[in-house]
Amino acid sequence: MSKLAESLPPGVLAGALRFLFGLPAPLRRLIAGRPITLDGQRLHPEAQLLLRLQQLSGEDWQTTTPAANRTALTRSTALVSGPIVDGLTVRAVSMDGVAGRFYTPHGLPEGSPLLVFYHGGGWVSGDLDSHDNLCRFLAAEAGVRVLSADYRLAPEHPFPAAADDARTAYEWAVAHAAELRVDPARIALGGDSAGGNLAAVTALHAGDVKPVFLLLFYPAVDATVRRRSRELFGNGFFLTDQKMDWFLDHYAPSRDSHTDPRLSVLLAEDLSGLPPTYLATAGFDPLRDEGEAFAEKLAAQGVPVVLRRYEGLFHGYANILGVGGVFREAVAEAVGALRTGLALANTRQGIAETA
């Protein structure tokens, strides 16, 4: 990170970003550079501009140490997450030792659906704050309560600590549904990147009460295969091939653990018990191909799945709610899928009750 970037408050840098994104399109293109086309996809101008500004400012998601990585993610998220979404009541919760944050839109009646959300960050970084505005947006726009889980991070707590905490949070939510004023028959799981991994793993190993929907943003689902997208988009598009190796080396240093379905959920033999799923990938993402392979396997095993590739975007777009429009639009589409999935779950519940 450049010395100038470090010296300026995040609010000043965020304002400068919004100003630059408000410039006329020809000026934005001049700053971003010539269009980038790769694998038959064109990087969206807003995505290219943000990457170019990141490059010029020296902002980067560092991989030097876990502490530096966490600081860099916190700072970069503050720049792009946008103004705080209001209209919600937010409180801290403790879920059998796992810290959490609970979001309730104002005026939402009792018995609403619940989304249990797991943040991304490569199992090494990220926390309740890094994904706070995303959780606020999901709660407010989908009209659901959201429970964000602050699972333990590696390398202090390597695999399977995060997966264990994710399951603990879900089981706690089911057991405390009445206290949370949610419908235990309409609990969804969601997450981005490593959090998407944890959501899918939790759904796979859920007990008697199964989640009714999965909301997955560009999940990591297979630590055993380096697919073509890792080679194509492994450098220059926020998440890099090097960073993925670095994350896995910290979270699951033993190669033997990489075949464990609690990490590589794509390798699970039977995925047919998973709930209807909305899975979004980004075209310029090293994880694109494994996420899409997971969606294909779900469909092949009879799981209703909607796969949406945002060809012009890169990994991490769900947190970019404060600049440009294409990132927010992508998350808004996921919100629509969540609302639809939960509504259909309600319909299925009603049919089951009258059968």
Side-chain angles (χ1 to χ4, degrees), residues 12 70 115 138 238 283 285 289 291 296 334 340:
V12 173
R70 292 163 188 167
L115 172 67
L138 294 172
F238 182 63
D285 181 0
D289 290 356
E296 290 168 5
T340 300

Side-chain angles (χ1 to χ4, degrees), residues 40-57:
Q41 308 168 132
R42 176 166 289 189
L43 187 63
H44 193 283
E46 292 181 354
Q48 187 175 344
L49 176 60
L50 187 58
L51 289 171
R52 178 59 175 157
L53 293 173
Q54 179 190 48
Q55 180 186 31
L56 291 172
S57 69

